[in-house]
PDB file of all heavy atoms in Angstrom:
ATOM      1  N   LYS A 252     104.507 126.711 108.901  1.00 95.00           N
ATOM      2  CA  LYS A 252     105.080 125.889 107.872  1.00 95.00           C
ATOM      3  C   LYS A 252     104.181 124.743 107.454  1.00 95.00           C
ATOM      4  O   LYS A 252     104.065 124.444 106.282  1.00 95.00           O
ATOM      5  CB  LYS A 252     106.444 125.335 108.374  1.00 95.00           C
ATOM      6  CG  LYS A 252     107.517 126.379 108.591  1.00 95.00           C
ATOM      7  CD  LYS A 252     108.801 125.688 109.091  1.00 95.00           C
ATOM      8  CE  LYS A 252     109.989 126.622 109.164  1.00 95.00           C
ATOM      9  NZ  LYS A 252     109.930 127.545 110.319  1.00 95.00           N
ATOM     10  N   PRO A 275     109.477 122.566  98.399  1.00 98.00           N
ATOM     11  CA  PRO A 275     109.978 121.203  98.377  1.00 98.00           C
ATOM     12  C   PRO A 275     108.929 120.275  99.043  1.00 98.00           C
ATOM     13  O   PRO A 275     108.211 120.722  99.940  1.00 98.00           O
ATOM     14  CB  PRO A 275     111.228 121.313  99.297  1.00 98.00           C
ATOM     15  CG  PRO A 275     111.572 122.718  99.411  1.00 98.00           C
ATOM     16  CD  PRO A 275     110.330 123.507  99.191  1.00 98.00           C
ATOM     17  N   ILE A 299     115.417 117.453 105.354  1.00 97.00           N
ATOM     18  CA  ILE A 299     115.629 118.468 106.390  1.00 97.00           C
ATOM     19  C   ILE A 299     114.423 118.445 107.376  1.00 97.00           C
ATOM     20  O   ILE A 299     113.269 118.386 106.944  1.00 97.00           O
ATOM     21  CB  ILE A 299     115.890 119.869 105.800  1.00 97.00           C
ATOM     22  CG1 ILE A 299     116.272 120.889 106.873  1.00 97.00           C
ATOM     23  CG2 ILE A 299     114.743 120.374 104.939  1.00 97.00           C
ATOM     24  CD1 ILE A 299     116.910 122.144 106.345  1.00 97.00           C
ATOM     25  N   LYS A 301     112.239 120.114 110.515  1.00 95.00           N
ATOM     26  CA  LYS A 301     111.946 121.415 111.146  1.00 95.00           C
ATOM     27  C   LYS A 301     110.781 121.269 112.082  1.00 95.00           C
ATOM     28  O   LYS A 301     109.769 120.656 111.778  1.00 95.00           O
ATOM     29  CB  LYS A 301     111.518 122.418 110.058  1.00 95.00           C
ATOM     30  CG  LYS A 301     112.457 122.567 108.912  1.00 95.00           C
ATOM     31  CD  LYS A 301     111.875 123.565 107.891  1.00 95.00           C
ATOM     32  CE  LYS A 301     112.730 123.556 106.621  1.00 95.00           C
ATOM     33  NZ  LYS A 301     112.209 124.515 105.659  1.00 95.00           N
ATOM     34  N   SER A 305     108.400 126.964 114.399  1.00 83.00           N
ATOM     35  CA  SER A 305     109.595 127.589 114.999  1.00 83.00           C
ATOM     36  C   SER A 305     110.169 128.548 114.006  1.00 83.00           C
ATOM     37  O   SER A 305     109.658 128.744 112.894  1.00 83.00           O
ATOM     38  CB  SER A 305     110.591 126.501 115.377  1.00 83.00           C
ATOM     39  OG  SER A 305     111.695 127.057 116.045  1.00 83.00           O
ATOM     40  N   SER A 306     111.231 129.237 114.373  1.00 87.00           N
ATOM     41  CA  SER A 306     111.871 130.190 113.427  1.00 87.00           C
ATOM     42  C   SER A 306     113.355 130.315 113.741  1.00 87.00           C
ATOM     43  O   SER A 306     113.851 129.721 114.695  1.00 87.00           O
ATOM     44  CB  SER A 306     111.169 131.557 113.525  1.00 87.00           C
ATOM     45  OG  SER A 306     111.374 132.023 114.837  1.00 87.00           O
ATOM     46  N   ARG A 307     114.052 131.113 112.956  1.00 92.00           N
ATOM     47  CA  ARG A 307     115.468 131.409 113.119  1.00 92.00           C
ATOM     48  C   ARG A 307     116.356 130.160 113.127  1.00 92.00           C
ATOM     49  O   ARG A 307     117.345 130.083 113.900  1.00 92.00           O
ATOM     50  CB  ARG A 307     115.712 132.175 114.410  1.00 92.00           C
ATOM     51  CG  ARG A 307     114.964 133.489 114.413  1.00 92.00           C
ATOM     52  CD  ARG A 307     115.418 134.326 115.564  1.00 92.00           C
ATOM     53  NE  ARG A 307     114.365 135.204 116.000  1.00 92.00           N
ATOM     54  CZ  ARG A 307     114.264 135.596 117.263  1.00 92.00           C
ATOM     55  NH1 ARG A 307     115.085 135.202 118.190  1.00 92.00           N
ATOM     56  NH2 ARG A 307     113.296 136.419 117.572  1.00 92.00           N
ATOM     57  N   GLY A 308     115.956 129.154 112.423  1.00 91.00           N
ATOM     58  CA  GLY A 308     116.789 127.958 112.315  1.00 91.00           C
ATOM     59  C   GLY A 308     116.766 127.031 113.548  1.00 91.00           C
ATOM     60  O   GLY A 308     117.442 126.044 113.586  1.00 91.00           O
ATOM     61  N   ARG A 309     115.924 127.448 114.563  1.00 93.00           N
ATOM     62  CA  ARG A 309     115.956 126.647 115.781  1.00 93.00           C
ATOM     63  C   ARG A 309     115.365 125.260 115.555  1.00 93.00           C
ATOM     64  O   ARG A 309     114.301 125.132 114.908  1.00 93.00           O
ATOM     65  CB  ARG A 309     115.139 127.385 116.859  1.00 93.00           C
ATOM     66  CG  ARG A 309     115.874 128.524 117.471  1.00 93.00           C
ATOM     67  CD  ARG A 309     115.002 129.347 118.416  1.00 93.00           C
ATOM     68  NE  ARG A 309     113.877 129.940 117.683  1.00 93.00           N
ATOM     69  CZ  ARG A 309     113.184 130.983 118.133  1.00 93.00           C
ATOM     70  NH1 ARG A 309     113.445 131.477 119.318  1.00 93.00           N
ATOM     71  NH2 ARG A 309     112.183 131.482 117.418  1.00 93.00           N
ATOM     72  N   ILE A 311     116.392 122.864 113.668  1.00 96.00           N
ATOM     73  CA  ILE A 311     116.486 122.311 112.315  1.00 96.00           C
ATOM     74  C   ILE A 311     117.721 121.451 112.198  1.00 96.00           C
ATOM     75  O   ILE A 311     118.787 121.826 112.650  1.00 96.00           O
ATOM     76  CB  ILE A 311     116.459 123.457 111.271  1.00 96.00           C
ATOM     77  CG1 ILE A 311     115.151 124.208 111.394  1.00 96.00           C
ATOM     78  CG2 ILE A 311     116.689 122.936 109.889  1.00 96.00           C
ATOM     79  CD1 ILE A 311     114.959 125.272 110.308  1.00 96.00           C
ATOM     80  N   SER A 329     111.252 117.842 105.053  1.00 97.00           N
ATOM     81  CA  SER A 329     111.159 118.328 103.679  1.00 97.00           C
ATOM     82  C   SER A 329     112.339 117.835 102.865  1.00 97.00           C
ATOM     83  O   SER A 329     113.442 117.630 103.392  1.00 97.00           O
ATOM     84  CB  SER A 329     111.267 119.871 103.637  1.00 97.00           C
ATOM     85  OG  SER A 329     110.181 120.469 104.269  1.00 97.00           O
ATOM     86  N   ARG A 330     112.066 117.659 101.588  1.00 97.00           N
ATOM     87  CA  ARG A 330     113.146 117.276 100.667  1.00 97.00           C
ATOM     88  C   ARG A 330     114.194 118.403 100.696  1.00 97.00           C
ATOM     89  O   ARG A 330     113.838 119.575 100.587  1.00 97.00           O
ATOM     90  CB  ARG A 330     112.552 117.168  99.279  1.00 97.00           C
ATOM     91  CG  ARG A 330     113.352 116.376  98.315  1.00 97.00           C
ATOM     92  CD  ARG A 330     112.642 116.388  96.981  1.00 97.00           C
ATOM     93  NE  ARG A 330     111.525 115.473  96.905  1.00 97.00           N
ATOM     94  CZ  ARG A 330     111.588 114.194  96.552  1.00 97.00           C
ATOM     95  NH1 ARG A 330     112.787 113.689  96.196  1.00 97.00           N
ATOM     96  NH2 ARG A 330     110.528 113.404  96.482  1.00 97.00           N
ATOM     97  N   TYR A 331     115.417 118.033 100.910  1.00 97.00           N
ATOM     98  CA  TYR A 331     116.515 119.022 100.999  1.00 97.00           C
ATOM     99  C   TYR A 331     116.971 119.401  99.581  1.00 97.00           C
ATOM    100  O   TYR A 331     117.269 118.536  98.759  1.00 97.00           O
ATOM    101  CB  TYR A 331     117.687 118.447 101.807  1.00 97.00           C
ATOM    102  CG  TYR A 331     118.764 119.482 102.078  1.00 97.00           C
ATOM    103  CD1 TYR A 331     118.500 120.539 102.937  1.00 97.00           C
ATOM    104  CD2 TYR A 331     120.001 119.403 101.479  1.00 97.00           C
ATOM    105  CE1 TYR A 331     119.457 121.487 103.214  1.00 97.00           C
ATOM    106  CE2 TYR A 331     120.983 120.347 101.719  1.00 97.00           C
ATOM    107  CZ  TYR A 331     120.705 121.393 102.573  1.00 97.00           C
ATOM    108  OH  TYR A 331     121.634 122.323 102.842  1.00 97.00           O
ATOM    109  N   ILE A 332     116.957 120.708  99.298  1.00 97.00           N
ATOM    110  CA  ILE A 332     117.414 121.191  97.998  1.00 97.00           C
ATOM    111  C   ILE A 332     118.948 121.127  98.037  1.00 97.00           C
ATOM    112  O   ILE A 332     119.556 122.038  98.645  1.00 97.00           O
ATOM    113  CB  ILE A 332     116.966 122.620  97.727  1.00 97.00           C
ATOM    114  CG1 ILE A 332     115.465 122.838  97.962  1.00 97.00           C
ATOM    115  CG2 ILE A 332     117.368 123.074  96.301  1.00 97.00           C
ATOM    116  CD1 ILE A 332     114.567 122.167  97.024  1.00 97.00           C
ATOM    117  N   LYS A 342     126.370 128.952 100.059  1.00 98.00           N
ATOM    118  CA  LYS A 342     124.905 128.896  99.914  1.00 98.00           C
ATOM    119  C   LYS A 342     124.336 130.223 100.490  1.00 98.00           C
ATOM    120  O   LYS A 342     124.881 130.785 101.411  1.00 98.00           O
ATOM    121  CB  LYS A 342     124.397 127.707 100.727  1.00 98.00           C
ATOM    122  CG  LYS A 342     122.867 127.543 100.784  1.00 98.00           C
ATOM    123  CD  LYS A 342     122.481 126.298 101.509  1.00 98.00           C
ATOM    124  CE  LYS A 342     120.968 126.233 101.744  1.00 98.00           C
ATOM    125  NZ  LYS A 342     120.542 124.999 102.408  1.00 98.00           N
ATOM    126  N   ASP A 344     120.245 132.402 100.918  1.00 98.00           N
ATOM    127  CA  ASP A 344     118.842 132.551 100.580  1.00 98.00           C
ATOM    128  C   ASP A 344     118.447 134.012 100.578  1.00 98.00           C
ATOM    129  O   ASP A 344     119.247 134.835 100.964  1.00 98.00           O
ATOM    130  CB  ASP A 344     117.957 131.693 101.485  1.00 98.00           C
ATOM    131  CG  ASP A 344     117.711 132.321 102.834  1.00 98.00           C
ATOM    132  OD1 ASP A 344     118.477 133.233 103.243  1.00 98.00           O
ATOM    133  OD2 ASP A 344     116.754 131.917 103.545  1.00 98.00           O
ATOM    134  N   ARG A 368     121.141 136.317 102.537  1.00 98.00           N
ATOM    135  CA  ARG A 368     121.891 135.896 103.727  1.00 98.00           C
ATOM    136  C   ARG A 368     122.764 134.696 103.393  1.00 98.00           C
ATOM    137  O   ARG A 368     122.251 133.684 102.860  1.00 98.00           O
ATOM    138  CB  ARG A 368     120.909 135.548 104.869  1.00 98.00           C
ATOM    139  CG  ARG A 368     120.179 136.740 105.453  1.00 98.00           C
ATOM    140  CD  ARG A 368     118.770 136.987 105.029  1.00 98.00           C
ATOM    141  NE  ARG A 368     117.951 135.865 104.699  1.00 98.00           N
ATOM    142  CZ  ARG A 368     116.872 135.481 105.392  1.00 98.00           C
ATOM    143  NH1 ARG A 368     116.508 136.172 106.444  1.00 98.00           N
ATOM    144  NH2 ARG A 368     116.103 134.486 104.963  1.00 98.00           N
ATOM    145  N   HIS A 387     124.801 124.547 105.871  1.00 97.00           N
ATOM    146  CA  HIS A 387     123.499 124.244 105.257  1.00 97.00           C
ATOM    147  C   HIS A 387     122.389 125.192 105.594  1.00 97.00           C
ATOM    148  O   HIS A 387     121.417 125.248 104.865  1.00 97.00           O
ATOM    149  CB  HIS A 387     123.071 122.802 105.651  1.00 97.00           C
ATOM    150  CG  HIS A 387     124.009 121.778 105.071  1.00 97.00           C
ATOM    151  ND1 HIS A 387     123.941 121.379 103.738  1.00 97.00           N
ATOM    152  CD2 HIS A 387     125.037 121.059 105.591  1.00 97.00           C
ATOM    153  CE1 HIS A 387     124.889 120.477 103.501  1.00 97.00           C
ATOM    154  NE2 HIS A 387     125.568 120.256 104.642  1.00 97.00           N
ATOM    155  N   LEU A 388     122.479 125.888 106.742  1.00 97.00           N
ATOM    156  CA  LEU A 388     121.417 126.875 107.058  1.00 97.00           C
ATOM    157  C   LEU A 388     121.961 128.285 106.762  1.00 97.00           C
ATOM    158  O   LEU A 388     123.122 128.588 107.029  1.00 97.00           O
ATOM    159  CB  LEU A 388     121.030 126.784 108.545  1.00 97.00           C
ATOM    160  CG  LEU A 388     120.608 125.427 109.096  1.00 97.00           C
ATOM    161  CD1 LEU A 388     119.948 125.561 110.437  1.00 97.00           C
ATOM    162  CD2 LEU A 388     119.689 124.709 108.147  1.00 97.00           C
ATOM    163  N   THR A 389     121.086 129.115 106.279  1.00 98.00           N
ATOM    164  CA  THR A 389     121.528 130.454 105.918  1.00 98.00           C
ATOM    165  C   THR A 389     121.002 131.514 106.863  1.00 98.00           C
ATOM    166  O   THR A 389     121.278 132.708 106.646  1.00 98.00           O
ATOM    167  CB  THR A 389     121.104 130.797 104.481  1.00 98.00           C
ATOM    168  OG1 THR A 389     119.740 130.470 104.340  1.00 98.00           O
ATOM    169  CG2 THR A 389     121.904 130.006 103.455  1.00 98.00           C
ATOM    170  N   ASN A 390     120.302 131.076 107.934  1.00 96.00           N
ATOM    171  CA  ASN A 390     119.752 132.076 108.851  1.00 96.00           C
ATOM    172  C   ASN A 390     120.858 132.966 109.462  1.00 96.00           C
ATOM    173  O   ASN A 390     121.885 132.462 109.893  1.00 96.00           O
ATOM    174  CB  ASN A 390     119.081 131.378 110.069  1.00 96.00           C
ATOM    175  CG  ASN A 390     117.995 130.442 109.671  1.00 96.00           C
ATOM    176  OD1 ASN A 390     118.307 129.333 109.190  1.00 96.00           O
ATOM    177  ND2 ASN A 390     116.775 130.853 109.819  1.00 96.00           N
ATOM    178  N   ASP A 474     111.019 133.763 102.521  1.00 98.00           N
ATOM    179  CA  ASP A 474     112.346 133.197 102.401  1.00 98.00           C
ATOM    180  C   ASP A 474     112.428 132.297 101.165  1.00 98.00           C
ATOM    181  O   ASP A 474     111.709 131.309 101.064  1.00 98.00           O
ATOM    182  CB  ASP A 474     112.759 132.392 103.637  1.00 98.00           C
ATOM    183  CG  ASP A 474     112.964 133.309 104.839  1.00 98.00           C
ATOM    184  OD1 ASP A 474     113.083 134.532 104.640  1.00 98.00           O
ATOM    185  OD2 ASP A 474     113.035 132.823 105.977  1.00 98.00           O
ATOM    186  N   LEU A 476     114.858 130.207  98.332  1.00 98.00           N
ATOM    187  CA  LEU A 476     116.141 129.589  98.003  1.00 98.00           C
ATOM    188  C   LEU A 476     116.185 129.398  96.485  1.00 98.00           C
ATOM    189  O   LEU A 476     115.213 128.834  95.880  1.00 98.00           O
ATOM    190  CB  LEU A 476     116.280 128.256  98.720  1.00 98.00           C
ATOM    191  CG  LEU A 476     117.614 127.502  98.526  1.00 98.00           C
ATOM    192  CD1 LEU A 476     118.679 128.168  99.361  1.00 98.00           C
ATOM    193  CD2 LEU A 476     117.480 126.048  98.981  1.00 98.00           C
ATOM    194  N   LEU A 486     110.757 128.649 100.921  1.00 98.00           N
ATOM    195  CA  LEU A 486     111.099 127.858 102.099  1.00 98.00           C
ATOM    196  C   LEU A 486     110.072 128.160 103.192  1.00 98.00           C
ATOM    197  O   LEU A 486     109.577 127.239 103.863  1.00 98.00           O
ATOM    198  CB  LEU A 486     112.489 128.231 102.638  1.00 98.00           C
ATOM    199  CG  LEU A 486     113.621 127.822 101.692  1.00 98.00           C
ATOM    200  CD1 LEU A 486     114.955 128.122 102.309  1.00 98.00           C
ATOM    201  CD2 LEU A 486     113.552 126.341 101.326  1.00 98.00           C
ATOM    202  N   GLU A 487     109.752 129.453 103.413  1.00 96.00           N
ATOM    203  CA  GLU A 487     108.705 129.723 104.383  1.00 96.00           C
ATOM    204  C   GLU A 487     108.304 131.185 104.280  1.00 96.00           C
ATOM    205  O   GLU A 487     108.960 131.983 103.605  1.00 96.00           O
ATOM    206  CB  GLU A 487     109.215 129.446 105.816  1.00 96.00           C
ATOM    207  CG  GLU A 487     110.305 130.361 106.275  1.00 96.00           C
ATOM    208  CD  GLU A 487     110.381 130.400 107.794  1.00 96.00           C
ATOM    209  OE1 GLU A 487     109.456 130.021 108.476  1.00 96.00           O
ATOM    210  OE2 GLU A 487     111.409 130.871 108.303  1.00 96.00           O
ATOM    211  N   ASN A 489     107.347 134.360 106.737  1.00 96.00           N
ATOM    212  CA  ASN A 489     107.428 134.825 108.155  1.00 96.00           C
ATOM    213  C   ASN A 489     106.322 135.810 108.493  1.00 96.00           C
ATOM    214  O   ASN A 489     106.065 136.770 107.770  1.00 96.00           O
ATOM    215  CB  ASN A 489     108.801 135.493 108.416  1.00 96.00           C
ATOM    216  CG  ASN A 489     109.871 134.455 108.484  1.00 96.00           C
ATOM    217  OD1 ASN A 489     110.124 133.884 109.544  1.00 96.00           O
ATOM    218  ND2 ASN A 489     110.490 134.148 107.346  1.00 96.00           N
TER     219      ASN A 489
HETATM  220  P1  ADP B 698     113.331 128.961 110.055  1.00 93.99           P
HETATM  221  O1  ADP B 698     111.955 129.450 110.195  1.00 93.99           O
HETATM  222  O2  ADP B 698     113.771 128.291 111.338  1.00 93.99           O
HETATM  223  O3  ADP B 698     114.299 130.005 109.550  1.00 93.99           O
HETATM  224  P2  ADP B 698     113.483 127.813 107.412  1.00 93.99           P
HETATM  225  O4  ADP B 698     112.463 126.935 106.765  1.00 93.99           O
HETATM  226  O5  ADP B 698     113.612 129.217 106.812  1.00 93.99           O
HETATM  227  O6  ADP B 698     113.236 127.805 108.963  1.00 93.99           O
HETATM  228  O7  ADP B 698     114.880 127.111 107.272  1.00 93.99           O
HETATM  229  C1  ADP B 698     116.060 127.611 107.767  1.00 93.99           C
HETATM  230  C2  ADP B 698     117.211 127.523 106.757  1.00 93.99           C
HETATM  231  O8  ADP B 698     117.425 126.183 106.388  1.00 93.99           O
HETATM  232  C3  ADP B 698     116.871 128.220 105.456  1.00 93.99           C
HETATM  233  O9  ADP B 698     117.260 129.580 105.552  1.00 93.99           O
HETATM  234  C4  ADP B 698     117.732 127.475 104.462  1.00 93.99           C
HETATM  235  O10 ADP B 698     119.036 127.891 104.432  1.00 93.99           O
HETATM  236  C5  ADP B 698     117.711 126.037 105.004  1.00 93.99           C
HETATM  237  N1  ADP B 698     116.650 125.231 104.428  1.00 93.99           N
HETATM  238  C6  ADP B 698     115.376 125.114 104.860  1.00 93.99           C
HETATM  239  N2  ADP B 698     114.662 124.234 104.124  1.00 93.99           N
HETATM  240  C7  ADP B 698     115.473 123.830 103.118  1.00 93.99           C
HETATM  241  C8  ADP B 698     115.345 122.936 102.013  1.00 93.99           C
HETATM  242  N3  ADP B 698     114.224 122.252 101.795  1.00 93.99           N
HETATM  243  N4  ADP B 698     116.420 122.737 101.237  1.00 93.99           N
HETATM  244  C9  ADP B 698     117.595 123.387 101.435  1.00 93.99           C
HETATM  245  N5  ADP B 698     117.780 124.233 102.469  1.00 93.99           N
HETATM  246  C10 ADP B 698     116.756 124.471 103.315  1.00 93.99           C
END
Side-chain angles (χ1 to χ4, degrees):
K252 294 179 172 74
I299 186 164
K301 308 177 188 182
S305 185
S306 62
R307 301 191 208 150
R309 285 173 295 200
I311 298 188
S329 296
R330 200 181 281 272
Y331 187 68
I332 311 290
K342 175 176 173 179
D344 77 343
R368 290 102 30 116
H387 293 283
L388 305 194
T389 49
N390 303 76
D474 289 347
L476 184 74
L486 295 183
E487 68 158 343
N489 286 274

